[in-house]
Amino acid sequence: MTLPLLVVTAVAAEAEAVRAGADPDHVVVEPVGVGPAAAAAGTTRLLATGHYRAVISAGIAGGFVGRAPVGSVVIGVRSIAADLGAETPDGFLSVDELGFGSSVIPGDPALVKSLTEALPAAIPGDVVTLSTVTGTAVTAERLAASYPQAVAEAMEGYGVAVAAHGLPFAELRSVSNPIGPRDRAAWRLKEAFQALSTASGALWIACG
């Protein structure tokens, strides 16, 4: 028996967008909650009660200006917990620099390669996970400088990656807004959900 692919999203609207494009015979899609803790707990529950061939963290994201425009699709080469660490008078220290573990989880190389081949227009790069998404130009500039390979930010990828330990993992996101000063008028949710649905049609091809 061929095991299905598990796709987890933060909220129901993202799950619906993925289901609209994904193969229902081979792809299980479930919302698990907002933020890395809820995402990790929800993914762990699903993995404890089912058997899957791989795990994808999917949904909408903010795109780094000049790297991933609104409406584009990004593939996470690495998921990075960008706010896991400590503030110091000299700046932010990551958990890696503190010696307490790693804030970086690479996507499965074979899975990332398959997704990139199935979605040639998608933009590969790092996706940073934040508990508080960026809402100022200062934070956007700091993140862009700290993570030069980052193409997008979201709130769940790192948590899902931790829970998926032992299974192939990758992150797939569509960009709904530019990272920077919070401006809901600049968000393009309809376009982002449509892009996510279209990209989801390639999931089983890439993971099958």
XYZ file of all heavy atoms in Angstrom, residues 39-98:
412
model
N 1.688 24.149 15.724
C 2.009 23.364 14.528
C 2.739 22.074 14.890
O 2.441 21.006 14.352
C 2.857 24.193 13.569
N 3.688 22.171 15.818
C 4.422 20.978 16.234
C 3.506 19.993 16.945
O 3.542 18.786 16.674
C 5.581 21.369 17.146
N 2.658 20.503 17.855
C 1.758 19.623 18.601
C 0.744 18.964 17.676
O 0.480 17.753 17.767
C 1.048 20.403 19.696
N 0.157 19.743 16.773
C -0.843 19.199 15.863
C -0.261 18.191 14.901
O -0.875 17.154 14.608
N 0.936 18.464 14.396
C 1.580 17.520 13.489
C 1.950 16.236 14.210
O 1.771 15.127 13.673
C 2.840 18.161 12.867
O 2.479 19.366 12.187
C 3.501 17.206 11.880
N 2.438 16.362 15.434
C 2.770 15.174 16.222
C 1.545 14.293 16.432
O 1.617 13.058 16.314
C 3.355 15.584 17.586
O 4.562 16.319 17.375
C 3.643 14.366 18.457
N 0.410 14.905 16.719
C -0.837 14.143 16.912
C -1.207 13.390 15.640
O -1.569 12.202 15.693
C -1.971 15.094 17.318
C -3.353 14.428 17.378
C -4.426 15.429 17.744
N -4.447 16.584 16.872
C -5.009 16.608 15.672
N -5.599 15.517 15.186
N -5.007 17.705 14.954
N -1.115 14.053 14.502
C -1.465 13.407 13.239
C -0.521 12.261 12.919
O -0.940 11.203 12.443
C -1.446 14.442 12.112
C -2.556 15.495 12.155
C -2.242 16.640 11.200
C -3.905 14.877 11.832
N 0.764 12.454 13.182
C 1.734 11.401 12.896
C 1.591 10.222 13.856
O 1.939 9.083 13.507
C 3.155 11.966 12.966
C 3.521 12.973 11.864
C 4.905 13.530 12.107
C 3.423 12.338 10.487
N 1.070 10.489 15.053
C 0.878 9.406 16.020
C -0.346 8.551 15.699
O -0.461 7.416 16.165
C 0.738 9.983 17.429
N -1.244 9.086 14.894
C -2.493 8.366 14.601
C -2.612 7.952 13.139
O -3.650 7.442 12.719
C -3.706 9.238 14.971
O -3.620 10.498 14.282
C -3.744 9.503 16.472
N -1.565 8.169 12.352
C -1.595 7.784 10.940
C -0.196 7.520 10.426
O 0.799 7.799 11.109
N -0.118 6.977 9.225
C 1.164 6.658 8.607
C 1.266 7.422 7.283
O 0.355 7.366 6.446
C 1.279 5.154 8.364
C 1.222 4.349 9.626
N 2.290 4.243 10.476
C 0.215 3.631 10.184
C 1.967 3.486 11.507
N 0.705 3.101 11.356
N 2.375 8.134 7.109
C 2.550 9.010 5.957
C 3.953 8.847 5.378
O 4.889 8.489 6.088
C 2.327 10.470 6.359
C 0.964 10.697 6.978
C 0.805 10.685 8.366
C -0.155 10.892 6.181
C -0.437 10.872 8.934
C -1.405 11.079 6.742
C -1.547 11.064 8.116
O -2.783 11.242 8.689
N 4.097 9.169 4.107
C 5.393 9.023 3.447
C 6.255 10.263 3.602
O 7.492 10.182 3.524
C 5.200 8.694 1.974
C 4.537 9.787 1.158
C 4.262 9.305 -0.252
N 5.471 8.751 -0.859
C 5.458 7.845 -1.827
N 4.315 7.382 -2.268
N 6.581 7.406 -2.339
N 5.640 11.429 3.802
C 6.383 12.684 3.943
C 5.440 13.734 4.525
O 4.214 13.545 4.560
C 6.934 13.145 2.595
N 6.032 14.832 4.984
C 5.250 15.907 5.598
C 5.618 17.228 4.916
O 6.798 17.551 4.750
C 5.531 16.023 7.105
C 4.678 17.132 7.717
C 5.267 14.699 7.814
N 4.579 17.975 4.545
C 4.754 19.298 3.951
C 4.069 20.332 4.840
O 2.904 20.170 5.207
C 4.134 19.389 2.540
C 4.745 18.345 1.596
C 4.285 20.798 1.970
C 6.112 18.655 1.111
N 4.789 21.384 5.193
C 4.173 22.550 5.844
C 3.802 23.528 4.745
O 4.676 24.003 3.997
C 5.159 23.195 6.823
O 4.610 24.371 7.394
N 2.509 23.832 4.611
C 2.042 24.649 3.487
C 1.167 25.793 3.980
O 0.559 25.726 5.051
C 1.270 23.792 2.487
N 1.082 26.832 3.171
C 0.226 27.957 3.512
C 0.710 29.223 2.833
O 1.538 29.185 1.915
N 0.196 30.348 3.302
C 0.619 31.640 2.765
C 1.767 32.176 3.608
O 2.017 31.709 4.718
C -0.543 32.635 2.697
C -1.112 32.918 4.097
C -1.636 32.124 1.759
C -2.160 34.012 4.110
N 2.453 33.168 3.064
C 3.630 33.704 3.743
C 3.860 35.143 3.298
O 3.301 35.609 2.304
C 4.863 32.861 3.409
N 4.711 35.833 4.062
C 5.224 37.119 3.616
C 6.486 36.894 2.817
O 7.288 36.016 3.149
N 6.665 37.655 1.755
C 7.843 37.492 0.911
C 8.847 38.611 1.120
O 8.459 39.780 1.269
N 10.132 38.259 1.155
C 11.163 39.284 1.262
C 11.223 40.087 -0.033
O 11.294 39.510 -1.128
C 12.525 38.648 1.552
C 12.713 38.264 2.989
C 12.399 36.987 3.418
C 13.189 39.186 3.912
C 12.568 36.625 4.749
C 13.348 38.839 5.240
C 13.037 37.558 5.666
N 11.180 41.397 0.095
C 11.170 42.287 -1.060
C 12.442 42.066 -1.882
O 13.552 42.000 -1.348
C 11.076 43.751 -0.609
C 11.185 44.695 -1.810
C 9.761 43.987 0.130
N 12.247 41.912 -3.185
C 13.361 41.675 -4.083
C 13.746 40.214 -4.206
O 14.610 39.873 -5.023
N 13.107 39.350 -3.414
C 13.444 37.926 -3.448
C 12.233 37.073 -3.838
O 12.399 36.085 -4.563
C 13.979 37.469 -2.093
C 15.218 38.220 -1.641
C 15.683 37.753 -0.264
N 16.751 38.601 0.259
C 17.276 38.469 1.472
N 16.845 37.498 2.284
N 18.237 39.280 1.881
N 11.056 37.408 -3.323
C 9.849 36.623 -3.616
C 8.659 37.571 -3.699
O 8.149 38.020 -2.669
C 9.622 35.561 -2.541
N 8.200 37.891 -4.896
C 7.107 38.846 -5.039
C 5.758 38.266 -4.640
O 5.580 37.045 -4.555
C 7.130 39.176 -6.537
C 7.716 37.962 -7.171
C 8.726 37.430 -6.192
N 4.813 39.141 -4.392
C 3.451 38.726 -4.071
C 2.893 37.879 -5.214
O 3.055 38.215 -6.387
C 2.562 39.961 -3.832
C 1.101 39.553 -3.688
C 3.024 40.707 -2.590
N 2.272 36.755 -4.853
C 1.716 35.843 -5.845
C 2.643 34.720 -6.232
O 2.215 33.767 -6.887
N 3.902 34.807 -5.828
C 4.846 33.744 -6.165
C 4.719 32.579 -5.195
O 4.109 32.686 -4.124
C 6.283 34.281 -6.155
O 6.657 34.703 -4.856
N 5.313 31.465 -5.571
C 5.369 30.268 -4.724
C 6.820 30.044 -4.326
O 7.731 30.181 -5.159
C 4.820 29.039 -5.479
C 5.063 27.750 -4.687
C 3.325 29.220 -5.745
N 7.044 29.721 -3.057
C 8.400 29.456 -2.587
C 8.490 28.044 -2.021
O 7.519 27.508 -1.484
C 8.849 30.479 -1.521
C 8.774 31.894 -2.065
C 8.025 30.362 -0.249
N 9.658 27.459 -2.172
C 9.955 26.124 -1.630
C 11.054 26.287 -0.593
O 12.131 26.822 -0.899
C 10.399 25.164 -2.741
C 9.278 24.961 -3.752
C 10.836 23.813 -2.151
C 9.718 24.252 -5.027
N 10.786 25.836 0.632
C 11.746 26.000 1.707
C 12.891 24.991 1.620
O 12.677 23.798 1.820
N 14.066 25.473 1.324
C 15.250 24.624 1.356
C 15.630 24.333 2.805
O 16.078 23.239 3.144
C 16.415 25.313 0.619
C 17.703 24.502 0.738
C 16.050 25.531 -0.842
N 15.434 25.353 3.667
C 15.627 25.193 5.103
C 14.518 25.955 5.823
O 14.055 26.987 5.339
C 16.985 25.745 5.557
C 18.190 25.131 4.874
C 19.493 25.597 5.512
N 19.654 27.043 5.422
C 20.640 27.715 6.017
N 21.533 27.075 6.756
N 20.735 29.026 5.859
N 14.111 25.445 6.981
C 13.175 26.155 7.854
C 13.967 26.630 9.069
O 14.639 25.829 9.732
C 12.022 25.245 8.282
O 11.230 24.890 7.166
N 13.887 27.928 9.345
C 14.739 28.531 10.364
C 13.892 29.238 11.412
O 13.063 30.091 11.087
C 15.705 29.550 9.733
C 16.560 28.873 8.654
C 16.596 30.177 10.805
C 17.439 29.839 7.880
N 14.108 28.882 12.686
C 13.430 29.562 13.793
C 14.174 30.868 14.058
O 15.125 30.922 14.839
C 13.413 28.682 15.033
N 13.729 31.930 13.413
C 14.508 33.167 13.384
C 14.433 33.968 14.672
O 15.223 34.901 14.854
C 14.051 34.029 12.209
N 13.493 33.654 15.570
C 13.424 34.386 16.837
C 13.681 33.480 18.037
O 13.333 33.809 19.164
C 12.093 35.119 16.999
C 10.882 34.214 16.845
O 11.064 32.988 16.743
O 9.750 34.737 16.839
N 14.315 32.326 17.794
C 14.658 31.400 18.864
C 16.083 31.699 19.320
O 17.060 31.360 18.650
C 14.554 29.959 18.367
C 14.779 28.841 19.398
C 13.767 28.933 20.530
C 14.707 27.475 18.725
N 16.190 32.388 20.462
C 17.498 32.802 20.940
C 17.379 33.793 22.070
O 16.455 33.713 22.884
N 18.278 34.755 22.115
C 18.300 35.723 23.215
C 18.687 37.100 22.705
O 19.540 37.227 21.810
C 19.282 35.281 24.294
N 18.067 38.113 23.280
C 18.472 39.489 23.037
C 19.664 39.823 23.919
O 19.721 39.400 25.079
C 17.325 40.451 23.357
C 16.450 40.792 22.188
C 15.541 41.962 22.509
O 14.993 42.001 23.617
O 15.394 42.829 21.642
N 20.607 40.559 23.375
C 21.736 41.042 24.160
C 21.947 42.519 23.819
O 21.419 43.007 22.807
C 23.029 40.265 23.839
O 23.579 40.746 22.604
C 22.774 38.770 23.729
N 22.724 43.230 24.637
C 23.007 44.631 24.294
C 23.680 44.790 22.938
O 23.597 45.857 22.323
C 23.936 45.070 25.432
C 23.583 44.193 26.576
C 23.261 42.861 25.952
N 24.331 43.719 22.473
C 25.024 43.787 21.179
C 24.208 43.210 20.030
O 24.706 43.093 18.909
C 26.353 43.035 21.281
C 27.297 43.661 22.296
O 27.363 44.902 22.348
O 27.930 42.906 23.045
N 22.959 42.813 20.315
C 22.116 42.274 19.258
C 21.591 40.894 19.598
O 21.794 40.372 20.699
N 20.933 40.292 18.624
C 20.291 38.990 18.808
C 21.303 37.864 18.677
O 22.146 37.871 17.784
C 19.187 38.824 17.762
C 18.492 37.489 17.800
C 17.539 37.211 18.756
C 18.811 36.506 16.871
C 16.894 35.979 18.792
C 18.173 35.280 16.883
C 17.209 35.020 17.858
N 21.201 36.876 19.590
C 22.001 35.668 19.500
C 21.069 34.489 19.265
O 20.120 34.283 20.026
C 22.798 35.438 20.787
C 23.954 36.393 21.077
C 24.568 36.057 22.429
C 25.010 36.328 19.984
N 21.337 33.726 18.228
C 20.497 32.569 17.938
C 20.766 31.472 18.956
O 21.779 31.483 19.677
C 20.790 32.037 16.533
O 22.076 31.441 16.493
N 19.861 30.500 18.999
C 20.049 29.373 19.901
C 21.322 28.592 19.537
O 21.979 28.016 20.412
C 18.795 28.466 19.878
C 18.663 27.747 18.538
C 18.797 27.468 21.014
N 21.707 28.649 18.282
C 22.956 28.005 17.847
C 24.151 28.691 18.507
O 25.057 28.024 19.026
C 23.098 28.096 16.321
C 21.861 27.664 15.579
O 20.839 28.373 15.685
O 21.898 26.650 14.891
N 24.140 30.022 18.467
C 25.244 30.785 19.050
C 25.287 30.641 20.564
O 26.362 30.734 21.173
C 25.111 32.257 18.653
C 25.290 32.503 17.166
C 24.883 33.901 16.753
O 23.733 34.312 17.036
O 25.717 34.592 16.151
N 24.138 30.390 21.170
C 24.077 30.180 22.612
C 24.531 28.776 23.014
O 24.773 28.503 24.184
C 22.657 30.419 23.124
C 22.127 31.849 23.020
C 20.636 31.872 23.310
C 22.877 32.779 23.970
